[in-house]
Amino acid sequence: MQEFQNRIGYRFKNEKLLETALTHSSFSREKGAGIEYNERLEFLGDAFFDAVIGEELFRIFPDQEEGFLSRTRASLVCERSLVKVARKVELGSLLLLGHGEEKTGGRERDSILADAMEAVIGAIFLDGGYEAVRETVLKLFAGAISDAKAGKFVVQDYKTALQEVLQAEGKTLDKVKYVDAGAEGPDHDKTFTVRLEIEGEPAAEGKGKSKKQAQQAAAEVVLKRRQDAI
Amino acid sequence: MQEFQNRIGYRFKNEKLLETALTHSSFSREKGAGIEYNERLEFLGDAFFDAVIGEELFRIFPDQEEGFLSRTRASLVCERSLVKVARKVELGSLLLLGHGEEKTGGRERDSILADAMEAVIGAIFLDGGYEAVRETVLKLFAGAISDAKAGKFVVQDYKTALQEVLQAEGKTLDKVKYVDAGAEGPDHDKTFTVRLEIEGEPAAEGKGKSKKQAQQAAAEVVLKRRQDAI
């Protein structure tokens, strides 16, 4: 437990909270009703994980709109990120599990690790308050956050992003059309072309190995052009 | 602006933040690109509204499970609550809106009021930190919170609640069956009976004016019985 606290970079005043964060419901069920397990702390941790990452993205990206912040947070605040950090701090080895869960590999199960990681975040908040949880989360998730800074989580869905931009400008979406503009190459290796029209005017062309890819490429062209124009 | 700060019970160090929270995108679009509007603050406020209410429910209900806390928060953290508070503090009168929005009644529109209220919460967080936003939100939403304490938001959907309990115990839901067990009374005033079977065994019976009501009643019996047994 001491080493775990070193690994997460936070020392608990009340270690009982950490213990509860590491207690899976299956353990509590097996031992009887008295033992608290981590689901309530997970509820709390989930909210503060969101808040801390939200605050950080708000500060890192002063010029980005709400849509970008939401999408970036959604890619960052996910089971995958939580599991990655949980494995790094070797959370699994300290989990208290019931026999059934233990036998079926619960100690390595993504969902159990992610939930316990969130519970640890909740426990840190209860133990040390907002500043403590903020500092610890930013350290633990520094990798994911710098990925976000580097644009690694930037939208892959350009069609949706373009829609949002146009909507924000009050344009109705029925004014945006993706028109098939032909295909080249042999059947097994076709390249599709799609023309994107905005308010009846051709705005860009995109190419791709599927019509969907071609649509995305066209939307990307328009978005990039607009970004360059700012 | 001074009076508004009295009404919300928070005085800003940086009033520019409050102004941005009260600026709708339509105003900014009309005046040109330089003017910040409230959507980014709304992103922030949304997260801290969730966190503050989550923390409060966690503390108010030390014996309730995660499912109850989530459901109660979902009923509390909603557009309706935000609009209610926004109207009470007369937020609408201070909104900066574009002409179009103004003409079509934007100043009284629920979604615009709720979004701006969330933005105000975000602005308070930025201006004063977590303790300030916590204190202010708890004061502003004291009514909704005491409704929650009084059990006003308690689950009406016992079937879902029972499913959650059984799932948490690892029971598969195909083991839960609601079986029609007859109806009494005249056609226009029938009382239906439903038998709830868990793992093939009759667990409870419920009666109601519709089959749905009868199912809910049966689930409620099982839930209450289990709560009493703890």
Side-chain angles (χ1 to χ4, degrees), chain A residues 7 37 68 92 115 127 136 147 149 166-167 198 209 216:
Chain A
R7 289 198 294 271
Y37 51 94
F68 174 92
D115 291 350
D127 193 68
T136 313
D147 282 355
K149 265 196 223 177
L166 295 175
Q167 242 171 344
I198 299 177
K209 286 290 161 203
Q216 289 286 344

Side-chain angles (χ1 to χ4, degrees), chain B residues 34-50:
Chain B
I35 294 178
E36 247 191 282
Y37 51 95
N38 62 11
E39 288 179 9
R40 283 170 45 88
L41 286 174
E42 181 200 335
F43 166 79
L44 206 59
D46 177 65
F48 283 93
F49 188 32
D50 248 38

Side-chain angles (χ1 to χ4, degrees), chain A residues 132-149:
Chain A
V133 77
R134 174 167 193 271
E135 210 178 286
T136 313
V137 164
L138 292 185
K139 256 186 304 184
L140 285 171
F141 291 85
I145 292 166
S146 69
D147 282 355
K149 265 196 223 177

Side-chain angles (χ1 to χ4, degrees), chain A:
Chain A
M1 288 283 264
Q2 295 308 312
E3 276 177 39
F4 181 74
Q5 293 179 67
N6 291 338
R7 289 198 294 271
I8 63 172
Y10 180 77
R11 189 150 300 278
F12 278 83
K13 296 189 266 290
N14 176 4
E15 283 194 11
K16 185 77 196 57
L17 286 169
L18 175 56
E19 210 175 281
T20 303
L22 297 169
T23 303
H24 187 254
S25 58
S26 62
F27 182 84
S28 162
R29 262 201 309 280
E30 214 171 273
K31 301 288 168 178
I35 295 178
E36 248 192 281
Y37 51 94
N38 62 9
E39 289 179 9
R40 283 171 45 88
L41 286 174
E42 180 200 335
F43 165 80
L44 206 59
D46 177 63
F48 283 92
F49 189 31
D50 248 38
V52 167
I53 298 294
E55 182 193 353
E56 189 63 10
L57 295 178
F58 182 93
R59 295 188 192 278
I60 293 179
F61 298 109
D63 300 320
Q64 292 285 358
E65 312 228 336
E66 183 275 334
F68 174 92
L69 299 177
S70 293
R71 284 191 303 272
T72 306
R73 180 171 61 190
S75 3
L76 221 152
V77 173
C78 62
E79 187 176 283
R80 205 162 40 91
S81 310
L82 286 160
V83 169
K84 206 170 159 189
V85 169
R87 291 197 202 281
K88 200 173 154 197
V89 298
E90 298 168 40
L91 185 151
S93 64
L94 286 163
L95 273 178
L96 296 173
L97 286 177
H99 281 304
E101 281 296 346
E102 186 73 82
K103 268 197 226 159
T104 57
R107 197 170 287 282
E108 287 304 314
R109 190 170 303 140
D110 281 0
S111 60
I112 290 182
L113 289 172
D115 291 350
M117 194 63 227
E118 281 194 315
V120 168
I121 293 171
I124 295 172
F125 169 73
L126 276 188
D127 193 68
Y130 184 72
E131 276 312 309
V133 77
R134 174 167 193 271
E135 210 178 286
T136 313
V137 164
L138 292 185
K139 256 186 304 184
L140 285 171
F141 291 85
I145 292 166
S146 69
D147 282 355
K149 265 196 223 177
K152 266 211 195 170
F153 289 134
V154 165
V155 220
Q156 295 309 311
D157 184 0
Y158 294 102
K159 276 177 72 175
T160 307
L162 179 62
Q163 271 185 14
E164 286 171 359
V165 169
L166 295 175
Q167 242 171 344
E169 292 174 0
K171 292 206 174 66
T172 54
L173 295 187
D174 53 5
K175 301 265 168 87
V176 182
K177 255 193 202 150
Y178 293 89
V179 184
D180 292 345
E184 288 170 19
D187 264 354
H188 68 282
D189 191 26
K190 268 198 163 67
T191 297
F192 294 89
T193 304
V194 163
R195 187 173 61 249
L196 166 51
E197 298 181 350
I198 299 177
E199 302 190 306
E201 297 288 329
E205 264 191 16
K207 290 182 186 298
K209 286 290 161 203
S210 68
K211 285 182 190 175
K212 222 171 163 180
Q213 260 187 25
Q215 293 173 357
Q216 289 286 344
E220 189 183 354
V221 171
V222 175
L223 276 173
K224 293 265 160 82
R225 194 192 295 151
R226 295 169 70 103
Q227 271 169 1
D228 291 339
I230 291 171

Side-chain angles (χ1 to χ4, degrees), chain B residues 54-72:
Chain B
E55 181 192 354
E56 189 63 10
L57 296 178
F58 183 92
R59 294 187 193 277
I60 294 179
F61 298 110
D63 301 321
Q64 292 285 0
E65 312 227 335
E66 182 276 334
F68 174 92
L69 298 176
S70 293
R71 282 190 303 273
T72 306

